[in-house]
């Protein structure tokens, strides 16, 4: 196991953040692990072929050794050897539309607005909180996050926070670019964009070096609302363009920028702090599942789908019917940062300092103008979503079994997949590598051979196999969070070969490799302390997205899949999962009968 450097030791090595660099795992360790991860997920004949390819790649003096050497060299002169490769592979080169396919959302507790002024007051308060949070980030005054759970206590990299209000994902013909604005401690003129009825308005929030207080923000929002109501001035729903496939959007944008009016409007959006989307009532019952859907795609073109600008990392959605949350462009940061920011905002109480006097004369907010009428095929309403609160038990019960709750839930997801589909598939679980400089995530491949043995087992040996599966999962987690997982490493070897213009190593053209990164099950733990939940869509057409939020006495599961896949069904998955969790509990209780359920 790779030792994690203490902050002081790392500082001695010359890094100002005090965090160690992400290590490059040993080549042989990764290759062995790759074979172990795939052996039970593919046919025997195919595995034999892959094994020979991997052995050739890893042979002394072979291609693997050469690439490994190059990767180690790269790691010596970069803060994080995988960051750029990972960002491109995971996000920027992905051509799929951002909503559903890439952008996670946070669903806030349902609000009870009885009038428009209630809604705008909530919006003004939230914006005020955003400004305060941004000044904490800019002043480097956010408390450093520390790892919890496995290997708790080490400080985590805070870089992701700097990107929350300063980034923009610019669409490109082949690849997008993550543009970063320089952040500064000085209160520069700053604005947010308010979307209302598919129209976009510039709301200046820092005027003459002073932040607007909530009352002024409210006044401005009211003016925006009135402007949006003027039917004759309505412009086409340009925001829909940002929910297209990335290449299509890049093409549309290159046409748009030929006109100076459009160029100016785009510039304002690209440089804003965030969006606040004042949504019309959705007209649907606001169950957890429906709120998740509304947040993920706005209900499509006929509802609030056009009241968005998906390239911007933070879009706060405030629905007149009380359906609220955040839609997040994922490339600059992880869900954990999104949770931290959301929880800050929900708890925010303005300090005296922020309650500055109202300004006597506020400049009118400005409507962004467009010269174009889009002819767009918007997002297909294909998402099959099921948000389910499993109330049988939560983290507490699992901890009493002396098991890792996360590992237990992962094994339960494998168990469920097996029950539904009769096999296991390559699975992704995001593991934070923020213990390292500029660390983002690596993958815990949860469909371990031990998980397969457990899900196939008969009653008598099942408890022992459950223990073994959980142990294997926990061990993999520890490998991943200490920078020793295999996905980033394999990606690094693949990309450095490309960079050196070498022929693609057979390891990466092998069908097993393609299978190994086709994540039919894409999972992630996003815990919250406030009553809210995170969710996202599947990453492949025949897959599931499974986001879970473990609490003391319950677990929220957000399952998503696509309706046009005959293989998947979110409802069936959730129903089966309930049964599997119950069976696992029965098993534990049979062997530890003294441990009572809360
Ligand atoms: N017996 C009793 N208690 C145990 C235990 C055991 N064997 N193993 C763990 N626990 C406890 C832990 O001490 C911890 O306690 P706490 O609630 O007081 O903090 C709790 O159970 C949770 O630990 P665990 O379930 O093992 O998982 P974790 O919190 O370490 O999470 C990951 C594991 C992989 C999810 C986490 O390391 C991670 O990377 N999270 C980030 C994921 C991410 O990036 N998500 C967003 C993607 S957009």
């Amino acid at each position: 196991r790779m030792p994690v450097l203490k902050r002081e030791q790392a500082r001695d090595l010359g890094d100002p953040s005090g965090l160690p660099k992400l290590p490059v795992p040993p080549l042989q360790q990764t290759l062995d692990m790759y074979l172990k991860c795939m052996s039970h997920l593919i046919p025997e004949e195919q595995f034999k072929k892959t094994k020979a390819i991997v052995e050739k790649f890893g042979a002394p003096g072979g291609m693997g050794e050469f690439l490994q050497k190059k990767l180690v060299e790269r790691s010596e002169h970069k803060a994080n050897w995988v960051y750029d490769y990972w960002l491109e592979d995971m996000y920027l080169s992905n051509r799929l539309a951002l909503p559903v396919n890439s952008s996670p959302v946070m669903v806030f507790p349902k609000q009870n607005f009885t009038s428009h002024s209630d809604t705008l007051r909530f919006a003004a308060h939230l914006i005020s909180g955003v400004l305060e949070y941004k000044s904490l980030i800019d002043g480097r005054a956010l408390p450093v996050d520390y790892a919890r759970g496995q290997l708790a206590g080490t400080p985590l990299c805070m870089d992701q926070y700097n990107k929350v209000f300063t980034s923009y994902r610019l669409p490109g013909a082949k690849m997008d670019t993550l543009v970063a604005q320089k952040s500064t401690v000085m209160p520069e003129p700053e604005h947010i964009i308010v979307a209302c009825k598919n129209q976009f308005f510039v709301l200046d929030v820092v005027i003459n070096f002073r932040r607007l207080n909530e009352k002024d923000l409210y006044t401005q929002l009211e003016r925006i609302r009135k402007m949006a109501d003027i039917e004759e001035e309505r412009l086409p729903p340009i925001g829909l363009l940002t929910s297209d496939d990335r290449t299509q959007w890049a093409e549309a944008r290159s046409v748009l920028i030929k006109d100076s009016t459009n160029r100016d409007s785009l510039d304002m959006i690209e440089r804003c702090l965030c969006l606040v989307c004042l949504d019309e009532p959705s007209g649907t019952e606001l169950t957890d599942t429906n709120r998740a859907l509304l947040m993920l795609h706005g209900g499509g073109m006929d509802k609030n789908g056009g009241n968005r600008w998906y390239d911007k990392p933070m879009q706060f959605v405030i629905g007149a019917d009380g359906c609220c949350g955040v839609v997040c462009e994922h490339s600059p940061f992880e869900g954990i940062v999104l949770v931290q920011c959301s929880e800050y905002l929900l708890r925010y109480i303005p300090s005296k300092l922020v309650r500055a006097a109202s300004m006597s004369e506020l400049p009118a907010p400005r409507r962004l103008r467009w010269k174009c009428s889009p002819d767009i095929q918007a997002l297909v309403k294909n998402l099959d979503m099921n948000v389910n609160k499993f109330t049988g038990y939560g983290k507490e019960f699992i901890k009493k079994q002396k098991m890792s709750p996360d590992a237990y839930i992962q094994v339960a997801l494998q168990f469920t997949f097996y029950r539904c589909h009769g096999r296991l598939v390559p699975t992704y679980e995001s593991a934070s590598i923020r213990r390292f400089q500029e660390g983002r995530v690596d993958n815990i491949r949860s469909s371990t051979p031990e998980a397969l043995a457990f899900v196939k087992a008969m009653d008598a040996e099942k408890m022992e196999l459950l223990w073994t599966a959980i142990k294997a999962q926990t061990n993999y987690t520890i490998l991943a969070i200490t920078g020793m997982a295999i996905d980033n490493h394999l990606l690094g070897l693949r990309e450095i070969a490309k960079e050196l213009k070498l022929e693609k190593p057979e390891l990466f053209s092998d069908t097993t490799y393609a299978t190994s990164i086709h994540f039919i099950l894409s999972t992630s733990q996003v815990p919250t302390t406030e009553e809210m939940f995170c969710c996202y869509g599947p990453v492949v057409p025949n897959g599931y997205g499974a986001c879970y939020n473990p609490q003391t006495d319950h677990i929220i599961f957000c399952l998503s899949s696509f309706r046009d896949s005959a293989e998947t069904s979110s409802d069936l998955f959730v129903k089966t999962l309930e049964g599997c969790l119950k069976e696992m509990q029965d098993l534990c209780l049979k062997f530890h009968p003294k441990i009572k359920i809360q």
Side-chain angles (χ1 to χ4, degrees), residues 138-162:
D138 291 348
R140 313 246 161 216
L142 277 187
V144 172
D145 292 339
Y146 282 82
R148 301 195 51 194
Q150 299 294 334
L151 309 184
T154 37
L156 302 177
C157 177
M158 297 294 284
D159 265 11
Q160 294 180 30
Y161 287 93
N162 300 328

Side-chain angles (χ1 to χ4, degrees), residues 275-326:
L275 264 91
V276 168
C277 309
L278 300 173
D279 274 12
E280 296 300 296
S282 63
T284 41
E285 193 194 342
L286 294 186
T287 57
D288 287 353
T289 299
N290 283 344
R291 285 188 298 136
L293 284 167
L294 287 170
M295 221 37 73
L296 283 161
H297 54 43
M301 241 165 131
D302 325 330
K303 294 197 169 140
N304 294 297
N307 209 37
R308 302 281 183 275
W309 199 271
Y310 282 101
D311 298 357
K312 198 66 202 165
M314 294 295 262
Q315 302 194 75
F316 296 97
V317 175
I318 302 174
D321 52 6
C323 180
C324 299
V326 198

